[in-house]
């Protein structure tokens, strides 16, 4: 075990996989940094420090700094992947899928199907998502519902440095296209990470981060921590929560969720995206359809409201799900009837 | 450079296969047997063939919605393609892609594409892969005069220049994007090549209805790109003989335009005149190819018509390798 | 009342509103057709014939034919709308939101909020969606779940010529941005349309197209007709279905849905998009949360599978929800327990 | 053309307000009181002011993530902007937008924009609106050297040419996009204007640190565009004095670069030298503006600090006009 930050887990995993496999290639804006400047390459890394040192180790052909052209970045990843490479492309903010969704949605996700199973597209598209920085409406979003809704993609949302390590390794080695969502408020969080160079977390296996009998809480990313806080607090009152960290939203670990609800009969899904057609609704509808007989209370969702993300501290704080709101929702399902 | 008799015969056969493949499709589509949207390439054969005759299986191409010609020129199997267009489960893409999504990665054909402009960035990625492999191979993207206005095409050109990718942007200017003329839609007086040049690439221009012009131009372009000089662009002036898609009444054409094009701008006719005039091949040689081609297309249609149909279970296959 | 096709309802409504209000402007690819050709303007209209004749009536400044540049089209609509015009932009296929989502999602939808309520952006973005033409994976999609999930947008999915008339008129006069989804398999369908030039259908009001006591069926667009067929068939067996045509997915008429489920206790949502994070899940989660006590059976969804849309006839037929699958789902909720 | 004393004073005041607004923000940001990402425009003032001094309230502009200068130059209220950046509910955008999303449609400022390249197509739409209104008004989009590589910018240029929209593309080449040099990211040897020209527009170039160069150039550009000749582009060479965003360690800069820029390429310093040298204004005149400006900024900060904070109820407001 080594202690490292979430962002360090990102960059060390990429480095290890690049070392291991020549076909792994990194590309994105400022992933080298300093290109064409007096300071020179790597004068400064990308803004999240998630590619620091890669250029020095692997050179310009494998660590490709790009202009501000996200469609070209993702498209290039598609072409690299169709040609047998394993590109790891970075979008600086997940909000930027708006300028390149076609390459994600209509290209990368669909090649294998459209081409009758005769191609593979092992591209990883990494992106920083989420709120908490007062970065306002265009730099704070969690667009995982759009991506989870796209057949052909796998979608990963790690909540700890160890999960980054195991899931990113799987993502890079996976033969299907993977969206890897990194929560920007977690980059500086530290945790223990297994040293084993073959430590891998397979997709579609959620993690039970707290165990209890009374209520099921499902979440991912930054909010998972809030759910744990609530669970720990309620545990002191003798209320037991299953806290499920999804890890991947596609594939979804239906089994762990349904098994838990069969015991608890109560579910609260906590998600950072606005509510309509969101992941919380997706999971609650699943539970309503497949664990109907077990349900003792209406499935609840804790999400932001149906609004863009506001800038001011007070507003963003009110917008994002808080431990208080999660606790209230849990108490509501516990108190139902 | 003088082509060998074999090379000439091969080029002719390739163009002819595309032509007959499409003329036949044009007929078959009237019967309603073929589903979906079909965009015929007929008239532009000299471009696909003039480009692809220089390539081997490791060079890669990306195509457009009007992809049959590029696919055939790059080596996709005629029968498998016909089956695909017929929607057979034995088709090149198991009936899942259809006319607009034919691909065969094994022959370096990375896909026709229904999204205008989507191919260009993908080609840059394929070119970056070629650069990494260091074998002097290239990636080529075909784009129409309409596609050249899509942001992705521009981004791709800049990225290719910045990364010195061995990528070639082949613009097939057939003067129309759907029902709109290139003079209207391309702001800079119909000239696509100059716009590409302003992105920092060397560019070429050529008559896309003259196989030899295309082939000679592409030799230069490929020499340039294979030698590590970075990307290049080329604009070929060409003509499409059918509507934008099958069913298009083509009221945007001038009176007699199609007849004139078939008369004066038919790349296959011009090829024949040129090689027989120069006594490189005889009419007999070419007629033989013609009848072989017709027979091959006939066989392909018969096979496609008889081929296995997909079943509802197939819907769920091939979304993921593992899930 | 006049009998007209769905597509005629589109073009006649645009023409009437352009006549009435100088600020209404149309733009899109081939909306004139024939520009820069020997045939000249309007030699041929757009491929859906939904703008035929407009150029002749209103001229090049108000009917703007554009290059193939969807981001520029939607962006231009944004700029026109912020400047006080009422643009009606056309994307030929809804699948093309992939190349211009940023302008829809991060611009048009967010201006008013980001700018503190001090602007309006009355843009209408029309687009043809849906399957049934064997147009394969990139020309057959129903991306309304992506759009419905975006706060700031209103999303309309008319199922009849009359609804096109009343809803498109509302869309053009609405002061907020509106996505107007036209099902391509409905364009040639005819129906009675009110003549009243002020006939308007307000947003957020679903239509009860069949009434019954036993089960609630919710749908929109093309599939609504399949639901009606099923309802009519079951009526003969004495089974009563409420068939709810959503008309707008945002705002959503929660009231009509919840009121119906309170009576029936059973719901089947029929939707043309793949299931994950979709509209069917959205509505079923709503019902599970807000009509929990009324539910007698698990809420069901009838959607395509989690795959792209295949080309071949047999495959597309198996992919799309059919009357048979809808009927089976209805019987399943009726037979539950 | 010689500017009046009043015009000179006004131009200086406008530049100075931007400068002091930002120098002060740079200080205040260190305290942690201001939330979010802030991109300072300091150093580029001559461009915003040299452009906007030609405009009236009906002309429209669209800006970027680095928008304070454009907003102030176009007439947004200093106090309201400061409050916005402070996140007050009395801010220009009620605290919902913040630094990256300041807009004031009433003064023709259609928004700063956090998405690089998003402004260009919006400006084309605003220009089409101006064309419809027929009053000779224009729409201007400001883009950086980085934004000029985004597909939207290219599409917008072509659409503007095709529709003959009175749109002006002002490229502010400050040599950096985040931490990357323009020589790397713009494939065509740093030259943005030539690329714009290849789209079919008339283009201009100018020294963006020389107010008079900007102002004179823009007079020509605006004459051209207001007269119905369609869109135009102009590239100004300029400098940013701070990091990409506040907090950027700027290790990509040459040693002593910032000192040299402040010494040799400061547009405000150059303005002062020029107008005092030519005896158009005195140091006294300008000092007076300086102290008035400092006082105004001070007052704005005091007001922002004291201004009402938003409440959680405000989150739900202003999504729709009706829903
Ligand atoms: C992004 C996108 N926009 C629009 C279309 C619809 N469309 C298909 S082909 C076409 C015209 C393309 O013209 P061009 O690039 O000249 O190719 P050609 O058809 O002449 O081969 C259009 C507008 C599309 N498929 N994708
Ligand atoms: C679509 C998109 N991609 C990337 C970014 C992140 N980003 C913000 S500013 C910037 C650099 C912009 O450079 P330039 O256009 O030269 O403007 P400058 O910062 O120099 O004013 C980048 C990459 C973004 N905001 N939007
Ligand atoms: Mg064309
Ligand atoms: Mg810059």
């Amino acid at each position: 075990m080594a202690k490292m930050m979430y962002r360090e887990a990102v960059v060390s995993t990429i480095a290890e996989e690049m070392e291991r496999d020549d076909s792994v290639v990194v590309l994105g804006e400022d992933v080298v940094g300093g290109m064409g400047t007096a300071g020179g390459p790597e004068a400064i890394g990308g803004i999240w420090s998630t590619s620091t040192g890669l250029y020095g180790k692997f050179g310009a052909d494998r660590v490709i700094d790009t202009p501000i052209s996200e469609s070209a970045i993702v498209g290039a990843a598609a072409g690299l992947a169709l040609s047998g490479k394993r590109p790891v492309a970075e979008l600086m903010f997940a909000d930027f899928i708006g300028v390149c969704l076609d390459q994600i949605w209509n290209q990368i996700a669909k090649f294998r199907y459209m081409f009758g199973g005769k191609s593979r597209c092992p591209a990883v598209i990494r992106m920083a998502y989420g709120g908490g920085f007062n970065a306002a409406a265009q730099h704070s979003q969690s667009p995982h519902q759009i991506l989870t809704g796209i057949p052909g993609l796998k979608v990963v949302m790690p909540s700890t440095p160890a999960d980054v390590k195991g899931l990113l390794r799987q993502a890079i080695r996976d033969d299907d296209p993977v969206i890897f969502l990194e929560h920007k408020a977690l980059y500086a969080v530290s945790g223990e990470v297994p040293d084993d160079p073959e430590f891998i977390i397979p997709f579609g296996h959620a993690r039970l981060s707290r165990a209890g009998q009374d209520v099921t809480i499902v979440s991912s990313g930054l909010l998972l921590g809030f759910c744990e806080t609530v669970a720990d607090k309620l545990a002191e009152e003798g209320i037991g929560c299953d806290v499920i960290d999804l890890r991947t939203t596609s594939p979804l670990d239906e089994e762990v969720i349904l098994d838990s609800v069969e015991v608890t009969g109560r579910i609260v899904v906590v998600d950072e995206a606005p509510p309509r057609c969101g992941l919380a609704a997706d999971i609650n509808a699943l539970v309503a359809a497949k664990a109907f007989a077990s349900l003792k209370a209406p499935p609840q969702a804790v999400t932001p409201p149906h609004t863009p993300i506001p800038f001011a501290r007070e507003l963003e704080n009110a917008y994002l799900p808080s431990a208080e709101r999660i606790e209230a929702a849990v108490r509501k399902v516990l108190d139902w009837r | 450079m003088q082509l060998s008799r074999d090379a000439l015969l091969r080029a002719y056969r390739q163009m002819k296969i595309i032509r007959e493949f499409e003329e036949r499709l044009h007929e078959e589509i009237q019967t309603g047997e073929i589903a979906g949207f079909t965009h015929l390439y007929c008239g532009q054969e000299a471009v696909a063939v003039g480009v692809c005759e220089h390539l081997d299986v490791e060079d890669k191409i990306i195509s457009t919605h009007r992809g049959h010609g590029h696919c055939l020129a790059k080596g996709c199997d005629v029968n498998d393609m016909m089956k695909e267009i017929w929607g057979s489960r034995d088709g090149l893409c198991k009936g899942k892609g259809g006319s607009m999504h034919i691909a065969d990665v094994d022959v370096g054909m990375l896909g026709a594409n229904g999204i205008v402009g989507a191919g260009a960035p993908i080609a840059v990625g394929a070119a970056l892969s070629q650069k990494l492999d260091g074998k002097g191979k290239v990636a080529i993207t075909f784009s129409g005069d309409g596609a050249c206005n899509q942001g992705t095409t521009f981004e791709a050109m800049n990225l290719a220049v910045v990364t010195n990718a061995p990528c070639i942007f082949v613009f097939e200017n057939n003067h129309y994007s759907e029902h709109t003329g290139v003079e209207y839609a391309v702001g800079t007086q119909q000239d696509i090549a100059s716009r590409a040049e302003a992105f920092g690439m060397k560019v070429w221009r050529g008559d896309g209805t003259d196989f030899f012009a295309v082939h000679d131009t592409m030799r230069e372009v490929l020499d340039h790109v294979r030698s590590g000089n970075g990307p290049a662009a080329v604009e070929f002036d060409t003509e499409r003989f059918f509507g934008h898609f099958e069913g298009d009444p083509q009221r945007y054409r001038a009176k007699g335009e199609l007849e004139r094009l078939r008369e004066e701008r038919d790349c296959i006719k011009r090829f024949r005149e040129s090689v027989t005039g120069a006594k490189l091949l005889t009419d007999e040689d070419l007629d033989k190819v013609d009848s072989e081609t017709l027979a091959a297309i006939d066989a392909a249609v018969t096979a496609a018509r008889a081929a296995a149909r997909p079943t509802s279970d197939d819907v769920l296959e091939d979304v993921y390798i593992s899930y």
Side-chain angles (χ1 to χ4, degrees), chain A, chain B:
Chain A
M1 288 285 192
K3 204 172 168 90
M4 64 175 76
M5 284 191 282
Y6 189 93
R7 69 155 54 93
E8 289 166 338
V10 173
V11 69
S12 65
T13 308
I14 297 174
E16 287 154 18
E17 292 302 304
M18 289 186 81
E19 196 77 64
R20 180 182 162 272
D21 180 350
D22 279 351
S23 71
V24 180
V25 174
V26 163
L27 68 165
E29 292 159 21
D30 269 319
V31 292
V32 180
M35 299 297 278
T37 70
E42 297 205 295
I44 197 168
I47 65 164
W48 307 119
S49 306
T50 50
S51 51
T52 314
L54 297 178
Y55 178 91
K57 269 191 212 122
F58 303 104
D61 279 355
R62 291 182 66 198
V63 185
I64 303 168
D65 208 310
T66 69
I68 309 178
S69 311
E70 284 80 3
S71 284
I73 295 170
V74 181
L80 281 156
L82 280 179
S83 303
K85 302 295 182 284
R86 293 188 178 272
V88 181
E90 176 178 298
L91 297 184
M92 209 178 280
F93 288 82
D95 313 67
F96 304 162
I97 62 166
V99 297
C100 58
L101 187 69
D102 182 72
Q103 289 290 341
I104 299 175
W105 177 40
N106 286 325
Q107 310 301 331
I108 283 183
K110 295 188 167 71
F111 286 146
R112 185 170 177 79
Y113 195 77
M114 292 193 299
F115 302 166
K118 293 178 186 161
S119 65
R120 54 175 70 194
C121 188
V124 179
I125 319 284
R126 297 176 40 239
M127 51 190 87
Y129 80 102
F133 284 83
N134 306 104
Q138 296 173 335
H139 284 75
S140 308
Q141 295 173 96
S142 303
H144 52 283
Q145 68 195 56
I146 295 176
L147 300 159
T148 303
I150 299 177
L153 299 181
K154 296 174 176 173
V155 181
V156 187
M157 299 179 78
S159 65
T160 69
D163 278 10
V164 166
K165 176 66 71 177
L167 292 165
L168 184 52
R169 191 173 274 128
Q170 172 60 34
I172 295 172
R173 297 187 189 181
D174 203 284
D175 284 329
D176 290 311
V178 179
I179 304 293
F180 201 84
L181 288 151
E182 300 162 16
H183 200 293
K184 50 178 99 75
L186 292 174
Y187 274 135
V189 168
S190 286
E192 294 292 336
V193 173
D195 297 319
D196 178 0
E198 294 299 313
F199 169 65
I200 278 185
I201 301 174
F203 291 165
H205 293 273
R207 179 174 68 100
L208 196 66
S209 94
R210 296 289 185 277
Q213 307 279 87
D214 301 312
V215 60
T216 304
I217 308 178
V218 177
S219 193
S220 65
L222 177 71
L223 300 182
L224 203 261
F226 298 7
C227 298
E228 291 173 337
T229 305
V230 170
D232 293 344
K233 179 173 172 194
L234 294 177
E236 291 172 18
E237 300 178 24
I239 299 169
C241 306
D242 267 359
V243 177
I244 297 174
D245 180 358
L246 289 175
R247 281 179 165 160
T248 60
T249 60
S250 179
L252 183 73
D253 191 343
E254 297 193 2
E255 204 180 310
V256 164
I257 298 168
L258 294 173
D259 285 354
S260 171
V261 174
E262 253 159 54
V263 174
T264 63
R266 299 179 160 89
I267 182 165
V268 175
V269 185
V270 180
D271 191 58
E272 203 176 319
R276 297 298 315 282
C277 297
L279 183 67
D282 185 77
I283 292 172
N284 280 337
L286 169 81
V287 165
K290 298 201 180 164
F292 185 72
S294 310
L295 278 176
K296 298 177 197 149
Q300 293 295 308
V302 180
T303 73
H306 185 64
T307 80
I309 305 181
F311 160 68
R313 286 202 175 94
E314 294 86 342
L315 296 172
E316 196 187 34
N317 289 345
Y319 174 91
L320 292 172
S322 59
E324 292 68 43
R325 283 185 53 214
I326 298 167
E327 185 182 332
V330 171
R331 291 197 189 276
K332 186 174 163 191
V333 294
L334 286 166
D335 294 347
W336 205 76
R337 283 283 146 87
Chain B
M1 203 162 85
Q2 184 67 61
L3 288 177
S4 71
R5 184 183 150 80
D6 273 4
L8 288 172
L9 273 173
R10 203 190 121 87
Y12 183 74
R13 185 177 298 112
Q14 290 289 84
M15 291 198 286
K16 194 70 191 175
I17 276 277
I18 299 173
R19 175 67 53 91
E20 296 304 337
F21 191 93
E22 300 230 312
E23 295 277 6
R24 181 64 178 265
L25 277 183
H26 180 66
E27 280 170 37
E28 298 290 344
I29 282 168
Q30 323 296 319
T31 71
E33 210 173 316
I34 295 170
F37 293 129
T38 318
H39 305 81
L40 300 181
Y41 186 72
C42 204
Q44 306 182 202
E45 296 88 346
V47 178
V49 176
V51 169
C52 292
E53 282 299 281
H54 290 287
L55 309 181
D56 72 17
V57 67
E58 289 186 59
D59 291 307
K60 317 238 187 242
I61 69 163
I62 317 256
S63 171
T64 69
H65 57 288
R66 199 176 300 291
H68 304 162
H70 309 129
C71 293
L72 288 165
K74 190 64 174 59
C76 292
D77 183 81
V78 181
N79 290 307
D80 293 350
M81 271 182 64
M82 196 65 90
K83 285 181 192 156
E84 183 59 30
I85 291 168
W86 241 267
S88 161
R89 74 174 308 200
D90 295 342
L92 194 47
C93 304
K94 299 191 191 159
K96 288 203 165 121
S99 167
M100 268 197 288
H101 306 291
I102 293 177
D104 189 350
V105 174
D106 292 341
V107 302
M109 204 292 142
L110 304 193
N113 206 311
I115 303 295
V116 167
I122 303 172
V124 178
L128 287 169
S129 177
Q130 303 285 30
K131 189 178 165 209
L132 266 169
D133 293 343
K135 297 195 224 157
K137 300 297 172 189
V138 302
I140 297 182
T141 178
F142 293 90
S143 312
D145 48 290
C148 83
N149 297 321
Q150 183 67 250
T152 48
T153 308
F154 301 123
E155 287 189 7
M157 291 196 282
N158 187 55
L159 180 62
V161 170
V162 166
T163 57
N164 206 44
C167 189
I168 299 168
F169 298 86
V170 175
F171 291 102
E172 293 184 74
N173 184 346
N174 64 7
H175 317 297
Y176 296 101
S177 53
E178 293 208 344
H179 317 141
T180 299
V182 63
E183 285 164 57
Y184 178 78
V186 176
T188 170
Q189 296 127 353
Q190 260 202 76
D191 187 348
I192 299 167
S194 301
R195 206 157 70 175
E197 190 169 23
F199 278 84
M201 281 179 284
K202 198 158 148 71
V203 302
W204 281 260
R205 294 172 181 81
D207 180 349
T209 68
D210 176 353
F211 169 80
F212 297 100
V214 174
H215 197 257
D216 288 346
T217 305
M218 284 309 296
R219 185 177 302 110
E220 286 180 33
V221 175
L222 280 157
D223 278 354
H224 178 83
V225 175
R226 290 199 202 276
S227 318
N229 295 308
V234 50
E235 175 178 356
F236 291 117
D237 191 51
T238 180
E239 313 291 348
R240 79 165 141 78
F241 285 176
F242 288 113
H244 169 63
F245 44 50
E246 286 300 279
D248 172 2
Q250 302 184 67
R251 285 193 298 269
Y252 44 83
R253 300 229 191 230
K255 226 182 139 237
E257 178 176 324
L258 281 173
E259 295 71 19
R260 184 181 59 73
L261 295 180
R262 290 257 184 190
E263 185 55 37
E264 297 168 16
R265 300 270 292 158
D266 180 341
C267 57
I268 295 186
K269 194 157 169 276
R270 290 184 66 180
F271 183 97
R272 182 183 269 259
E273 283 162 10
S274 156
V275 292
T276 53
K279 309 231 184 302
L280 299 168
L281 297 175
T282 64
D283 273 316
E284 218 165 46
D285 293 331
L286 298 165
D287 289 347
K288 181 151 169 282
V289 174
D290 287 357
S291 54
E292 285 166 5
T293 303
L294 280 171
I297 295 299
D298 219 53
V301 169
T302 307
R305 200 163 258 143
R309 303 302 307 170
T311 68
S312 57
D313 291 344
D314 296 329
V315 172
L316 303 179
E317 297 296 314
D318 296 326
V319 184
Y320 296 95
I321 294 174
S322 63
Y323 193 60

